[in-house]
Amino acid sequence: MRDLVARYLNHALSRRGFVRGLTQAGLTATAAQSVLSSVSSVARAQSPVPAPPSAPATAAKTVPAAAANTGNAAIKPFQGPGGAAFAEQLIASGVKYVFGNSASEDAQFYEALVDRPQLKYILTPHEGPGAAMAAGYVKASGEPAIVMQAAVVGMANAMGQIFNAFKEQTPLVVYSYRTDQSRRAGRDGFEEVPNQEQIVQPITKYTWLARRPDMIPETVRRAFKAAWTPPHGPAYISWHSDYNDERVRTEIIAQDQFDPRMRVRPDPDEIERAAKLLVEAKTPLLIVGDEVSKAKAVGKAVKLAEMLGMPVTQVRQLYANFPETHPLWVGNVPAGTLRSQPYPKNPDVIINVGNKFQHNSPAPIVPRGPTFIDMRIDAASMGNVMLTAVPLVADVGLGLDDLIAAIGQLMTPTLKQKAAERAEEVRKYAENAKTLRAMVANSPDWDQSPLIADRVTWEIAHFADPDAIIVNEAGSVAMHSFDFNPLGGRELFYYYGAHLGSGVGTSAGVKLARPNQQVICMVGDGSFIFGPTALWNMARLELPVITVVYNNHAYSGPHSRVISNVSGGRMVQTRQFVHDYLGNPDMNMADIARGFGVAGEVVQSPAQLREALGRARQHTVEGKPYLLDVQVARKGVGWADKPWIPPIRVAEMRQRKV
Ligand SMILES: Cc1ncc(C[n+]2csc(CCOP(=O)(O)OP(=O)(O)O)c2C)c(N)n1
Ligand SMILES: [Mg+2]
């Protein structure tokens, strides 16, 4: 029985196989079920991070008799076209959705889908938003998906979102064939480029070109293994298109057989050191990062902060990783480094849990001076910039468990008293900061039309459901008033990667993964126009997402940044900015949405915004997406009412009126 349990825990045995083994060993069916449920709870406890994709029950059920001979139900012999082997392996890798754009040389794959309805194909009319949709689905569901497109031409369009997945550490798997078939490769044929797979190598975790058609399933498995092994990241795979048509004999194997089980516990000695430093600190500070959300460890981060009465902050991330309503939350770091965090002013011990940090200035995010403890699974980015007194390489869920236990051992009544006093100080600061934040509504421009961006955000925040999901790609717009709370409250999906054009696609994918939560996409006009095609997917798939475009007819962020780079220069004197004004003619995003089958309206005033949000809600209740094109004021120095545009008018330059 011990052997059975070990094999079950190692995923070498299915649930059914486990129960069968127990009954064969003499247990009654009821006793076997009870053993199963207690062992399953152990198995769950061993998997604090979303487990890498596993084979769905349906795949195991289709194991033919021949497979039984191998003695391992997870292996299924396969014979058929390479494209069908690809489809079979995706099913065995736990994939439910394929996000694709038409690729004629994947014909055998499409053919295979007809009789495999469990693998659902979503046609995305542009690869960028298509990949964003897949990434949104993966992030919001924790389930695997694949993106596929036509050869290098499709891949080139998906690359922006592969880049985002790389920066955000999203386990996105992407495939496109090489148009050059294996018996004519290297001749500069149609859509041929040398070393296609190498083009994306610097922005993927794993890249591979399968060398034989029967290697397709193994290549697929390795892509999923690489992408889903923490720290996550995108994988790209490719093969010559004729491999899809060739008949192969190969093996389809359940993905969970390749799970390297990277649920890493930190070094106990380092944990002891960290615990000691933290309990002895006068002014400790906790920075939370995305690994906390990914490991579903927000509750543990709260516990750690509460034990020590330790304030909590966050530096630019994808998710809101701590309840912003919590009295120990002191707000996001306002600018690039911790020096900009007004409270606590001089932390002596700083612990980062799960943020890989984006250093955007010569000054490191964590300044020299304080003792720095770093807990992360992404060991590669540890100790590259900041002096690190205690490196804790760990799955942060397990790491927090161990740290909490170690601190618990050290806490004396005096230390508890100190922590309680500190918590009280932090609470006072947090209350005050909250009051100050609410003063955003005191702006003299609060009621103006076009609206100020802060008013739009405030109205959305007061409209959104208590558990709404906010997908944010709203350019230079400040996020406030939402009180995000990953523990059952509002969630945030921010545009961390910043290849623009992800917002609409991401929100479509998030809604696909979480149909029972309100999804609101906040997007700048400039960002929106990089990727509106996912609106069509929202209409076709009946994804009731509310999209709010902050339409200032401009790239407001780049406008201000250019001025600060060349302040007082000729551009400012003449007000001639070539790079930032999107008006003349103004784009009408509601009209664009209508063209994709999504209803919407242009909003001019705060009063109209409230009514329009009501109509948006009505549409979503009825299962339909809706878009608000909100006219937003251009703020910042150097904006004219009617901005100058470069004088290029081709109609007047013509010799012939054609
Ligand atoms: C694909 C891509 N192209 C260009 C940029 C550079 N860029 C950064 S912000 C920005 C403008 C965003 O405009 P908008 O969404 O309207 O926000 P606003 O600045 O007006 O608030 C651009 C073009 C980018 N990040 N990604
Ligand atoms: Mg804009």
Side-chain angles (χ1 to χ4, degrees):
M1 176 155 152
R2 247 176 132 172
D3 175 52
L4 278 173
V5 171
R7 282 171 57 207
Y8 177 63
L9 286 176
N10 288 334
H11 303 279
L13 203 58
S14 68
R15 286 164 77 89
R16 197 182 294 172
F18 181 56
V19 171
R20 199 184 311 123
L22 290 173
T23 46
Q24 276 166 5
L27 266 70
T28 64
T30 328
Q33 281 303 333
S34 127
V35 173
L36 173 70
S37 78
S38 55
V39 173
S40 297
S41 62
V42 173
R44 271 195 300 278
Q46 284 185 348
S47 309
V49 287
S54 58
T58 47
K61 267 189 223 138
T62 58
V63 175
N69 298 338
T70 66
N72 190 339
I75 303 175
K76 178 181 168 185
F78 175 91
Q79 276 189 53
F86 180 23
E88 271 297 303
Q89 183 56 55
L90 288 178
I91 294 168
S93 294
V95 172
K96 294 195 193 90
Y97 290 107
V98 178
F99 297 83
N101 187 268
S102 189
S104 38
E105 293 175 54
D106 283 327
Q108 285 292 355
F109 177 81
Y110 302 151
E111 176 72 4
L113 293 183
V114 177
D115 294 320
R116 290 174 178 83
Q118 66 271 51
L119 195 54
K120 296 180 177 61
Y121 187 93
I122 293 175
L123 172 59
T124 59
H126 184 293
E127 297 85 348
M133 190 171 168
Y137 172 81
V138 170
K139 286 184 276 194
S141 68
E143 302 222 350
I146 188 146
V147 185
M148 58 194 287
Q149 19 8 64
V152 68
V153 287
M155 181 193 85
N157 270 349
M159 275 173 64
Q161 301 311 321
I162 298 175
F163 166 83
N164 281 349
F166 184 67
K167 297 293 275 187
E168 294 170 2
Q169 301 185 314
T170 305
L172 190 68
V173 178
V174 181
Y175 150 82
S176 46
Y177 54 76
R178 299 184 58 111
T179 308
D180 43 302
Q181 296 178 356
S182 57
R183 295 196 339 269
R184 61 169 169 80
R187 298 176 180 175
D188 191 22
F190 178 66
E191 288 179 0
E192 180 173 350
V193 66
N195 308 316
Q196 175 175 317
E197 69 286 356
Q198 291 177 18
I199 294 173
V200 288
Q201 203 158 16
I203 52 169
T204 50
K205 218 183 135 191
Y206 175 74
T207 310
W208 193 250
L209 172 76
R211 265 56 169 196
R212 286 169 53 99
D214 55 336
M215 292 296 279
I216 289 175
E218 184 175 317
T219 304
V220 171
R221 291 192 295 270
R222 270 210 306 276
F224 279 96
K225 196 242 16 189
W228 282 88
T229 303
H232 297 162
Y236 175 80
I237 48 173
S238 183
W239 46 83
H240 296 281
S241 62
D242 50 317
Y243 291 1
N244 286 320
D245 306 320
E246 241 172 80
R247 285 190 70 78
V248 295
R249 270 169 170 272
T250 185
E251 290 175 326
I252 304 298
I253 308 181
Q255 190 68 40
D256 56 12
Q257 302 296 303
F258 300 93
D259 172 9
R261 298 186 178 75
M262 286 273 293
R263 267 73 93 195
V264 177
R265 288 212 102 100
D267 181 331
D269 293 342
E270 301 286 355
I271 280 286
E272 287 304 318
R273 286 179 57 212
K276 204 157 174 295
L277 283 166
L278 282 166
V279 299
E280 286 170 3
K282 270 184 74 174
T283 319
L285 173 67
L286 169 61
I287 307 171
V288 284
D290 287 340
E291 284 185 23
V292 175
S293 287
K294 288 177 181 168
K296 301 200 182 342
V298 176
K300 295 174 187 179
V302 171
K303 175 109 199 271
L304 174 68
E306 286 176 351
M307 283 178 104
L308 296 167
M310 175 164 56
V312 186
T313 187
Q314 177 167 296
V315 190
R316 193 173 199 274
Q317 284 289 260
L318 183 65
Y319 305 114
N321 295 295
F322 200 84
E324 295 184 353
T325 43
H326 196 281
L328 290 170
W329 172 250
V330 294
N332 289 294
V333 169
T337 74
L338 271 190
R339 289 249 183 260
S340 69
Q341 173 56 269
Y343 184 94
K345 214 49 240 151
N346 291 305
D348 56 348
V349 178
I350 298 173
I351 174 166
N352 165 50
V353 181
N355 189 330
K356 74 182 163 77
F357 290 124
Q358 232 175 28
H359 299 274
N360 288 328
S361 85
I365 288 175
V366 175
R368 308 288 188 228
T371 304
F372 181 53
I373 304 166
D374 204 358
M375 181 192 289
R376 255 150 352 109
I377 195 68
D378 182 14
S381 63
M382 236 182 216
N384 286 342
V385 182
M386 274 103 52
L387 284 70
T388 306
V390 191
L392 297 168
V393 181
D395 165 82
V396 298
L398 297 177
L400 283 168
D401 282 342
D402 291 358
L403 189 58
I404 288 166
I407 289 173
Q409 296 287 320
L410 298 176
M411 289 304 272
T412 60
T414 324
L415 286 170
K416 281 186 186 161
Q417 177 62 26
K418 263 196 194 159
E421 284 161 15
R422 193 157 47 219
E424 183 52 25
E425 285 293 303
V426 182
R427 191 192 59 75
K428 276 192 216 142
Y429 169 82
E431 281 286 304
N432 196 26
K434 206 171 168 184
T435 315
L436 290 176
R437 279 200 296 273
M439 285 170 73
V440 68
N442 295 350
S443 159
D445 301 331
W446 196 243
D447 294 323
Q448 79 163 53
S449 302
L451 295 88
I452 56 169
D454 278 341
R455 178 72 191 261
V456 183
T457 306
W458 192 90
E459 291 292 342
I460 299 171
H462 285 78
F463 159 84
D465 283 357
D467 64 345
I469 301 177
I470 306 296
V471 176
N472 181 294
E473 195 188 18
S476 51
V477 171
M479 289 298 280
H480 58 76
S481 312
F482 280 103
D483 285 341
F484 291 110
N485 182 356
L487 295 173
R490 292 170 177 167
E491 277 174 76
L492 173 67
F493 287 71
Y494 197 68
Y495 68 113
Y496 179 85
H499 172 98
L500 297 180
S502 68
V504 182
T506 302
S507 50
V510 168
K511 187 70 184 178
L512 180 68
R514 309 261 203 94
N516 298 316
Q517 274 171 274
Q518 182 185 51
V519 176
I520 302 176
C521 173
M522 295 165 50
V523 58
D525 56 323
S527 306
F528 171 79
I529 216 67
F530 282 115
T533 52
L535 288 173
W536 178 77
N537 289 107
M538 289 182 190
R540 183 189 254 200
L541 300 171
E542 297 183 3
L543 291 168
V545 173
I546 298 173
T547 303
V548 181
V549 184
Y550 286 64
N551 196 350
N552 55 7
H553 304 280
Y555 292 153
S556 176
H559 170 84
S560 303
R561 289 193 286 274
V562 161
I563 292 179
S564 76
N565 281 350
V566 191
S567 53
R570 294 282 298 141
M571 285 187 293
V572 178
Q573 281 166 18
T574 59
R575 303 233 164 161
Q576 291 193 4
F577 300 98
V578 292
H579 71 289
D580 57 13
Y581 180 50
L582 290 176
N584 192 1
D586 286 353
M587 295 185 215
N588 184 319
M589 309 314 185
D591 280 354
I592 290 172
R594 211 163 292 125
F596 286 119
V598 173
E601 58 187 287
V602 175
V603 173
Q604 308 279 0
S605 69
Q608 200 190 341
L609 175 57
R610 266 185 209 181
E611 289 170 15
L613 283 167
R615 283 187 285 277
R617 189 190 297 283
Q618 194 50 40
H619 272 76
T620 54
V621 167
E622 289 165 12
K624 290 183 235 140
Y626 202 72
L627 179 138
L628 306 185
D629 174 349
V630 185
Q631 302 298 296
V632 166
R634 287 182 291 280
K635 291 282 176 191
V637 277
W639 278 118
D641 267 354
K642 284 198 166 43
W644 170 90
I645 57 168
I648 308 167
R649 307 276 185 280
V650 175
E652 331 174 324
M653 287 152 51
R654 293 172 306 170
Q655 310 290 326
R656 295 170 61 210
K657 300 218 162 171
V658 288

